[in-house]
Amino acid sequence: MAAAAPVASQAQAVLRGRLCDPGFVHSALRSSSDTNYSKLKYLVASSVSEACNNSVLLLGPRGCGKAAVVDMVLEDLKKEHPDAISVIRLNGMLHSDDNCATKEIARQLCLEHQLSFSKMASSDDNTEFIIDMLRECGLAHKTILFILEEFDLFAQGKQRLLYSLLDAMQSLTSQAVVIGVSCRLDADQLLEKRVRSRFSHRKLLFVPSSLEDTQRLVEHLLILANDSGLPANYITDYNSRLPNIFSDKKFKGILKYLMVADATTSSILRFLFRAVSYMDMESGFLSMESFVKALSSMQRQPKMDSLQDLSILELYILVCMHRLEDKEQSSYNFTSIMKEYRSIQDAYKTSDKYTSTVCFRAFEHLLDRELISFGDSRGRNQALEYRPVKLLVSSRELAQSLKLNTTCPAVLQKLFDRERYM
C-alpha cells in the first residue's frame, strides 16, 4: 500500500494538469464538424484566407467554454497562418470607456508590430492610427482579430468604439474580424441602429451540456492514456475501476444534481478537481467515496455551519422570528420576539425558559453572526431592543439546521413543522 502512494501522487498531478488545461478539456470539440469550435474556426479561417471582414458574437452563460473555444481557434490559426494574424484583446470590465479602449488597441498594435507607442496621443490620434493600421494590414494581407470579452459592456453609452471598428471594416482595404464574447443572450439587441447595420449578425450560442455529453466529458478527463507517464499496470488497474463508478446509480445521481445546480463546464471541472483531491492515497485509485466527498464539499455553506453551532435559545429566537414573518408581521423588534417567545413558553410549559437579559445577549450574538440584521438604517439612535430587525435565514435553511442539531428540543421542531403560528 505504501508503494502506491507515490504513483497515486503522480496520477493526481496528471489528472489535475488535465483539468487545468482548457486545450485538453475541450480537445474533443476538434473531432466534430458541428461544434461551435468548428464553426468559429471556419468563419475566421475563411476571413483570413479570402481577405474579407467579419464579425460574430459568442453568447452563453459564464463558464460554458466560450473563451476556451476562442483560445483554441487562435492557437490553431496561428500555427496554420503564423504571419497572417494579429490579435487584439479587450475586456469590457477594463476598457468599456471609448478613450481607454482606443488607447489600449493602439498600444497592442504598436507592441504587435514593433512600433513606438505614445502615451500622450489623443483619442482622435489613436482612432486615426487604428484606421491606418487596418488599411496597412489589409494591404499586407494580414488579418487583425479583435476579441471583445464582456461585449455587452461595450454596447453601453455612445458605442463609439464599436462604430469606429465596424465602420472602418466597411473599407475594401481593411481586413479584420470582430469576435464579441458575452454572457447576455440579448447582447446584439443592445447595439444602436448605426452599429447594428454594420454588424454581420452572426451568433454562436453556447448551451448547457446534456447529461450524456457531461458523462462523456468526465470519462474523457478521468481515463488515463497509455502515454501518461505512469506504470502500465497502474494505468490498467486504474482505468478498469472507472466503468463501475460511471455506471453506479449514485454517481449518475451526483451528475444529475450538478446539472440541475450548474451545468457549465467550469462547474464540472471544479467538482472533478475536488474528486481527484479526495483520491484514496492508500489504494491509489479514485472511488465512489471520492465523488461523494467532492459533492459534499461543494454543498457546504458558511451560513449552515453557523446555524449548527447555535445554542437552544438562539434557535428559539430564530423560530420566533420565522413565526412572526409567517403571521405577515411586516415590522418587529426584540420586544416583539420576546412576546412570541413568552407565548410559546406559556403554551408548552418547557424548561427552556430564560430571562430577558440572557435572551438579549443571544439576540446580539445572532446580529454579530449576521443571521439576522436590522430592517433599515433609520433609528440608529434607538435602543437595540426597539429597532426593527429581519431574518437572514430561509425557511429551508432553518428547517435543515433544526434537524441536524442533535440538542434541538422536540417542541421546537414541532413548532416549526406544524402550523406556523397558533
Side-chain angles (χ1 to χ4, degrees), residues 49 87 220 416:
S49 58
V87 180
H220 165 66
F416 191 83

Side-chain angles (χ1 to χ4, degrees), residues 124-349:
D124 290 338
D125 292 337
N126 287 329
T127 301
E128 187 176 346
F129 170 73
I130 293 168
I131 294 173
D132 290 341
M133 285 299 296
L134 281 170
R135 182 172 60 252
E136 292 297 324
C137 287
L139 294 173
H141 301 291
K142 189 170 186 177
T143 301
I144 300 179
L145 303 180
F146 293 94
I147 315 298
L148 306 183
E149 296 188 36
E150 307 294 342
F151 180 84
D152 51 287
L153 298 180
F154 289 103
Q156 297 177 359
K158 296 183 179 179
Q159 304 181 12
R160 283 183 298 179
L161 172 70
L162 294 177
Y163 176 76
S164 299
L165 282 180
L166 295 172
D167 188 59
M169 288 165 57
Q170 304 303 306
S171 169
L172 294 175
T173 55
S174 67
Q175 194 171 330
V177 178
V178 173
I179 301 175
V181 182
S182 176
C183 60
R184 286 192 60 167
L185 300 182
D186 63 341
D188 58 321
Q189 300 301 315
L190 302 174
L191 299 176
E192 292 179 354
K193 186 177 180 181
R194 60 174 186 162
V195 178
R196 195 180 299 137
S197 65
R198 289 163 171 77
F199 190 76
S200 63
H201 298 283
R202 291 184 177 88
K203 293 188 288 186
L204 296 179
L205 298 180
F206 287 72
V207 297
S209 302
S210 65
L211 184 61
E212 292 75 18
D213 290 338
T214 301
Q215 181 140 354
R216 280 195 292 270
L217 175 63
V218 171
E219 293 173 6
H220 165 66
L221 294 171
L222 295 184
I223 293 177
L224 293 174
N226 293 328
D227 59 353
S228 301
L230 298 167
N233 58 341
Y234 173 82
I235 293 175
T236 303
D237 291 343
Y238 170 88
N239 288 339
S240 65
R241 296 167 184 261
L242 290 179
N244 293 331
I245 296 175
F246 295 152
S247 60
D248 193 300
K249 288 184 178 180
K250 203 170 189 179
F251 178 79
K252 291 183 177 180
I254 290 174
L255 277 189
K256 285 180 182 178
Y257 175 87
L258 289 172
M259 296 295 289
V260 171
D262 186 353
T264 60
T265 304
S266 60
S267 173
I268 301 300
L269 292 177
R270 286 195 299 271
F271 166 70
L272 293 180
F273 196 94
R274 289 171 187 251
V276 170
S277 299
Y278 285 118
M279 177 186 284
D280 184 356
M281 303 306 287
E282 289 187 5
S283 67
F285 302 111
L286 285 171
S287 64
M288 179 53 69
E289 189 65 23
S290 305
F291 296 98
V292 171
K293 287 181 178 178
L295 180 64
S296 178
S297 66
M298 290 184 72
Q299 290 176 322
R300 283 192 63 188
Q301 298 177 1
K303 190 180 287 187
M304 289 302 301
D305 292 341
S306 295
L307 284 168
Q308 289 181 41
D309 294 336
L310 295 181
S311 65
I312 300 301
L313 177 56
E314 289 164 344
L315 289 174
Y316 264 108
I317 292 175
L318 292 179
V319 170
C320 287
M321 292 178 69
H322 189 270
R323 285 163 61 86
L324 288 172
E325 290 187 358
D326 275 352
K327 293 178 181 179
E328 299 183 358
Q329 193 162 328
S330 57
S331 178
Y332 56 88
N333 52 28
F334 175 73
T335 305
S336 310
I337 296 169
M338 287 309 298
K339 286 181 181 178
E340 185 69 23
Y341 174 67
R342 300 297 179 206
S343 69
I344 292 173
Q345 298 302 319
D346 293 340
Y348 289 91
K349 308 294 182 184

Side-chain angles (χ1 to χ4, degrees), residues 379-406:
R380 288 183 177 177
N381 297 326
Q382 283 183 316
L384 290 181
E385 55 264 37
Y386 298 114
R387 288 186 64 180
V389 290
K390 60 182 179 182
L391 189 60
L392 299 181
V393 180
S394 69
S395 176
R396 183 186 61 80
E397 289 171 333
L398 185 53
Q400 192 173 350
S401 68
L402 292 175
K403 289 179 181 177
L404 293 175
N405 194 315
T406 55

